[in-house]
Amino acid sequence: ETAVFQTPNYHVTQVGNEVSFNCKQTLGHDTMYWYKQDSKKLLKIMFSYNNKQLIVNETVPRRFSPQSSDKAHLNLRIKSVEPEDSAVYLCASRHGGVNAEQFFGPGTRLTVL
Amino acid sequence: GDSVTQTEGLVTLTEGLPVMLNCTYQTIYSNPFLFWYVQHLNESPRLLLKSFTDNKRTEHQGFHATLHKSSSSFHLQKSSAQLSDSALYYCALSDRYNQGKLIFGQGTKLSIKP
């Protein structure tokens, strides 16, 4: 099956802990993204990455960092979570030009207590 | 910077009535790429339709939209709403100089009643 896969589906943790989320795409795409969808359903870009360049949205706190081993994987690490990090984190990928469709994974829902 | 503004909040319609969800955008680039994504309950967003050509109607799954550069608009329309159209709709602009990252509007929840 070709798609965008994310693990875990859900994660509950305490303030100050470190968490990591995984994303893998089997679509053969060359660009991947992390988006944050908050409780008001606002969708905001966090990172975009291809095998040449990482672009970080300027509003993303430094405790967030992407990690990639190859063009099929883009993980997300949060060093010390805070309550406002509670959200759904969506991974997406795209192939070809910037006018191409982005395919989204099912998301990881993070709850910070 | 680039931005997208959509019809606020919740739109509730009776089945069979026409749908129109507003989207306007701001960008310094003369050739914008606009998208509509739809997110059904407990699912992830998926592409509904897209356009890059001024004044050309694009259609998919009964929905249509026309990019109008003169008014910076890309409104989503459907002639007759169905119960299955109930979902969250996002208008988005591609940031072509930053790896095509999507700049989303705030989303419009469409609720169709029998």
Side-chain angles (χ1 to χ4, degrees):
Chain A
E1 182 188 2
T2 55
V4 181
F5 301 94
Q6 292 186 240
T7 57
N9 294 328
Y10 304 93
H11 190 78
V12 181
T13 190
Q14 306 271 1
V15 170
N17 286 350
E18 177 176 320
V19 299
S20 287
F21 304 146
N22 300 316
C23 178
K24 172 186 174 181
Q25 55 93 4
T26 57
L27 297 163
H29 290 174
D30 49 24
T31 304
M32 296 183 71
Y33 309 86
W34 276 105
Y35 293 90
K36 177 182 179 182
Q37 186 173 41
D38 67 18
S39 58
K40 295 181 181 178
K41 301 297 186 182
L42 291 176
L43 255 180
K44 293 264 177 82
I45 182 71
M46 300 182 73
F47 304 99
S48 56
Y49 182 76
N50 64 23
N51 57 6
K52 298 174 185 175
Q53 187 182 20
L54 169 69
I55 296 181
V56 181
N57 190 1
E58 61 273 7
T59 63
V60 174
R62 293 171 64 95
R63 61 182 180 277
F64 288 84
S65 60
Q67 299 167 320
S68 179
S69 55
D70 55 56
K71 71 174 188 177
H73 297 83
L74 184 65
N75 301 328
L76 180 66
R77 174 177 160 233
I78 313 174
K79 201 170 179 182
S80 177
V81 296
E82 297 188 8
E84 61 263 32
D85 298 338
S86 294
V88 175
Y89 292 87
L90 290 161
C91 178
S93 70
R94 173 183 61 80
H95 181 70
V98 294
N99 56 354
E101 176 180 2
Q102 290 189 20
F103 290 84
F104 286 81
T108 294
R109 180 177 295 278
L110 173 65
T111 301
V112 180
L113 302 175
Chain B
D2 292 353
S3 66
V4 177
T5 303
Q6 294 183 231
T7 302
E8 285 283 339
L10 173 65
V11 172
T12 303
L13 292 170
T14 302
E15 189 179 16
L17 290 181
V19 177
M20 180 155 172
L21 304 183
N22 290 336
C23 172
T24 57
Y25 63 90
Q26 282 190 312
T27 180
I28 63 172
Y29 302 112
S30 58
N31 293 308
F33 298 147
L34 273 294
F35 303 80
W36 277 100
Y37 279 79
V38 59
Q39 185 177 23
H40 285 94
L41 190 62
N42 298 322
E43 295 183 6
S44 53
R46 62 173 175 80
L47 180 68
L48 180 58
L49 47 78
K50 63 182 180 181
S51 182
F52 331 115
T53 307
D54 197 15
N55 297 319
K56 181 180 177 182
R57 174 170 162 148
T58 183
E59 299 188 35
H60 187 61
Q61 296 185 335
F63 287 90
H64 63 92
T66 303
L67 175 60
H68 292 295
K69 292 183 185 179
S70 60
S71 57
S72 298
S73 67
F74 190 55
H75 305 320
L76 182 68
Q77 299 181 68
K78 187 177 185 183
S79 58
S80 176
Q82 298 177 283
L83 295 175
S84 58
D85 295 331
S86 294
L88 185 55
Y89 291 80
Y90 291 100
C91 184
L93 175 66
S94 174
D95 186 345
R96 60 204 302 179
Y97 294 103
N98 285 289
Q99 296 181 348
K101 67 179 186 183
L102 292 174
I103 298 162
F104 287 94
Q106 69 271 44
T108 303
K109 185 174 181 180
L110 179 63
S111 177
I112 308 300
K113 306 295 184 187

